[in-house]
Amino acid sequence: MSDTPFGFGLPPEEPENGDEGKKKDPTEGGQGAGGPANPFGFGPGAGGDNPFAAMFGAMNPNDLGAAFQQLGQMLSYEGGPVNWDMAKQIARQTVSQGTPDGTKDASVGPSERTAVDEALRLADLWLDGVTSLPSGSVSTVAWSRAEWVEASLPAWKQLVDPVAERVGLAMGDVLPEEMQAMAGPLIGMMRSMGGAMFGQQIGQAVGVLAGEVVGSTDIGLPLGPAGKAALLPLNVEQFGKDLSVPQDEVRLYLALRESAHQRLFAHVPWLRSHLFGAVEAYARGIKVDTSKLEDVVGQFDPSQPEQLQDALQQGMFQPEDTPEQKASLARLETALALVEGWVDAVVHEAAKSRLTSADALRETLRRRRASGGPAEQTFATLIGLQLRPRRLRDASRLWASLTDARGVDGRDGLWEHPDMLPTAQNLDDPDGFVHHEQLDFSELDKMLGEAAKSSQNPAAEAKDPAEGDSTGPGEDGPKDGGGKDGGGKDDSDR
């Protein structure tokens, strides 16, 4: 799995594994480098899904018109850092081609919609007994793969645009200021091509991902519309195909996970912005190898747009190794582990006494995260983040310990504010966090109680301490501003 986004890292002349690092033949491999192993296709070995090779490689005269039309769309694009119209088009084309196992997308039938609706509603009922967070699902929906693409693109836009924006700005900053006016058309063309290439690669990635995801929250982020719990019946069926588990149990277990995610994101209002904000913070730390970019600008030939693609493959863009960027990734990784750990613990509690295959399904999903399925690989390639299974398991154990120590309300109350959540260090010592934080909460309760008493007697609170004790015999209340009489004794000592 790639540790860095969009092929950031070592150029091909410095491969980590000898010839393995060299650019592969586009005809090699079943899915090519743009498949699950590198869904965005940028970086060494990305030639298999080079969008320009796909457009012009065959050079069939019957296809030249369409190819030049697509090239015209790329050059005329004047939108943001990513050509999202092209991304959607490529994603839908990828979905229509089917998955490597030969499964084609299909419209969801009435019986499948009914089965998904019933599973999600039953899952919500089961979750009511294991979490204090109410249902977060306003509606339920069964999506085809193409419908998932349409529904998730707004979230992908929010995730990808900050990274692509940083790259796009760098394209215009490599020339001296006095030369930028003269090179304006060239810079504009490069940005158009950059937006198109991002659109091509992201569309390919989202299309591949659509063949594997089972709901709207597979990567721990809300990729669908708020309040809409969703499952993909075709992918749910494929997920349980070789598990020797009844299909209705598979569907119900995955519905529990989807519904648990929905509750968390619906009733923890700061969580979504916290996660997406960490992605933005990471993007701000990306730096560009300007010497390589200057070479590209100086030698750019508009008739050979693949030059920019080659530049992207040569490790031009690298994340800065700064404390700020490390902190943003650590914050995001910990938050995602806490989200997934909470869902894992809550779903297990709801399912263990009701589904005979609950333990097997739980372990299957954990291993899926550990081995880096398409969802995790897409995310890792996007922002250089890997959700380590050790953190997920540690987070699940921590939430289970909190449930035992404080009950459901005490556990879920930690989501009220990000500062109340466990840290990465707390995941190393769940028991220490549980007992230490219990003491802190007791102290907080004491402070709140004292504040409440003071608010009930504002006149005494406002009295000038220098006036001394004017409270008559038999009257209660704070004295001398601190609950003591003139002799310094506490009221409780009398």
Side-chain angles (χ1 to χ4, degrees):
M1 185 188 300
S2 171
D3 289 332
T4 50
F6 297 113
F8 304 163
L10 293 175
E13 63 267 23
E14 299 180 41
E16 296 182 3
N17 298 309
D19 292 340
E20 293 293 326
K22 296 181 181 179
K23 188 173 180 181
K24 297 180 180 179
D25 190 318
T27 61
E28 292 180 0
Q31 294 185 28
N38 184 2
F40 285 92
F42 295 146
D49 281 307
N50 186 317
F52 300 101
M55 289 168 53
F56 302 114
M59 294 303 293
N60 187 329
N62 296 328
D63 297 332
L64 281 179
F68 280 113
Q69 182 180 9
Q70 189 170 4
L71 177 59
Q73 293 174 353
M74 296 170 71
L75 293 175
S76 63
Y77 175 69
E78 296 180 352
V82 178
N83 188 332
W84 286 103
D85 290 336
M86 180 170 289
K88 181 167 71 172
Q89 177 185 350
I90 297 297
R92 292 184 66 95
Q93 289 175 355
T94 303
V95 165
S96 67
Q97 293 169 3
T99 52
D101 62 3
T103 305
K104 297 284 187 179
D105 193 23
S107 299
V108 180
S111 61
E112 292 172 317
R113 294 186 187 279
T114 299
V116 167
D117 180 72
E118 290 177 351
L120 288 168
R121 291 183 184 278
L122 181 57
D124 250 347
L125 289 175
W126 289 4
L127 290 173
D128 284 339
V130 295
T131 175
S132 62
L133 299 180
S135 174
S137 306
V138 177
S139 61
T140 63
V141 64
W143 282 333
S144 66
R145 292 167 177 171
E147 288 171 330
W148 179 87
V149 167
E150 296 278 353
S152 66
L153 277 178
W156 287 113
K157 187 176 188 297
Q158 190 174 353
L159 282 168
V160 175
D161 271 352
V163 178
E165 178 70 27
R166 182 69 186 88
V167 172
L169 290 175
M171 287 184 172
D173 293 341
V174 295
L175 293 179
E177 186 174 350
E178 61 273 12
M179 295 181 59
Q180 289 187 14
M182 298 174 57
L186 175 60
I187 294 174
M189 183 180 296
M190 290 183 64
R191 286 179 174 170
S192 295
M193 295 298 297
M197 285 186 296
F198 271 105
Q200 289 268 8
Q201 301 294 350
I202 292 164
Q204 173 72 13
V206 172
V208 171
L209 188 56
E212 190 75 16
V213 293
V214 296
S216 70
T217 54
D218 278 30
I219 63 173
L221 288 174
L223 295 181
K228 184 171 288 188
L231 290 179
L232 283 70
L234 179 58
N235 291 355
V236 170
E237 181 182 354
Q238 293 299 112
F239 175 83
K241 188 175 180 180
D242 300 321
L243 296 181
S244 300
V245 176
Q247 190 65 217
D248 58 342
E249 286 200 20
V250 173
R251 184 189 304 112
L252 190 47
Y253 193 87
L254 296 175
L256 282 167
R257 289 184 53 85
E258 174 74 9
S259 297
H261 278 105
Q262 292 291 338
R263 289 182 181 229
L264 198 57
F265 285 110
H267 300 290
V268 183
W270 55 265
L271 184 56
R272 180 186 175 99
S273 59
H274 179 77
L275 293 170
F276 281 69
V279 177
E280 274 196 67
Y282 173 85
R284 286 195 297 268
I286 291 175
K287 65 179 180 179
V288 178
D289 187 337
T290 56
S291 62
K292 289 185 179 180
L293 192 53
E294 287 169 359
D295 291 340
V296 173
V297 172
Q299 302 173 15
F300 180 67
D301 182 354
S303 66
Q304 296 181 337
E306 67 274 9
Q307 287 180 357
L308 285 179
Q309 177 74 7
D310 292 339
L312 288 170
Q313 293 174 0
Q314 293 172 10
M316 181 184 298
F317 310 113
Q318 300 191 14
E320 281 194 276
D321 189 22
T322 62
E324 293 79 11
Q325 195 168 36
K326 288 180 179 179
S328 67
L329 283 180
R331 184 171 69 251
L332 180 58
E333 182 179 68
T334 301
L336 282 173
L338 291 173
V339 167
E340 290 298 284
W342 183 88
V343 168
D344 180 79
V346 166
V347 168
H348 181 68
E349 186 66 25
K352 65 181 182 180
S353 62
R354 296 182 173 99
L355 298 179
T356 57
S357 304
D359 289 336
L361 289 168
R362 183 190 201 188
E363 190 59 30
T364 297
L365 283 161
R366 283 181 166 184
R367 289 180 179 178
R368 190 188 192 201
R369 302 306 293 265
S371 62
E376 290 73 28
Q377 290 175 6
T378 296
F379 203 48
T381 307
L382 173 63
I383 61 169
L385 170 74
Q386 296 184 41
L387 181 60
R388 292 171 293 169
R390 182 179 67 84
R391 298 287 81 183
L392 190 156
R393 292 174 187 266
D394 290 345
S396 182
R397 284 195 294 269
L398 184 145
W399 290 118
S401 297
L402 285 169
T403 306
D404 294 339
R406 305 185 192 175
V408 169
D409 291 341
R411 176 200 66 199
D412 294 345
L414 291 177
W415 290 105
E416 291 180 4
H417 192 277
D419 290 344
M420 298 173 66
L421 287 178
T423 64
Q425 290 73 26
N426 297 142
L427 294 181
D428 295 326
D429 182 20
D431 291 336
F433 173 80
V434 170
H435 298 305
H436 173 71
E437 286 296 310
Q438 188 67 43
L439 294 175
D440 288 348
F441 272 101
S442 299
E443 192 66 28
L444 179 61
D445 290 340
K446 180 180 178 181
M447 293 172 60
L448 292 175
E450 292 175 353
K453 289 180 182 179
S454 298
S455 65
Q456 292 173 1
N457 195 352
E461 186 72 15
K463 180 178 289 295
D464 187 346
E467 294 179 4
D469 181 13
S470 60
T471 306
E475 293 182 306
D476 295 327
K479 301 175 183 181
D480 198 30
K484 298 181 181 180
D485 60 17
K489 293 183 178 180
D490 189 271
D491 292 344
S492 61
D493 294 337
R494 295 187 177 186

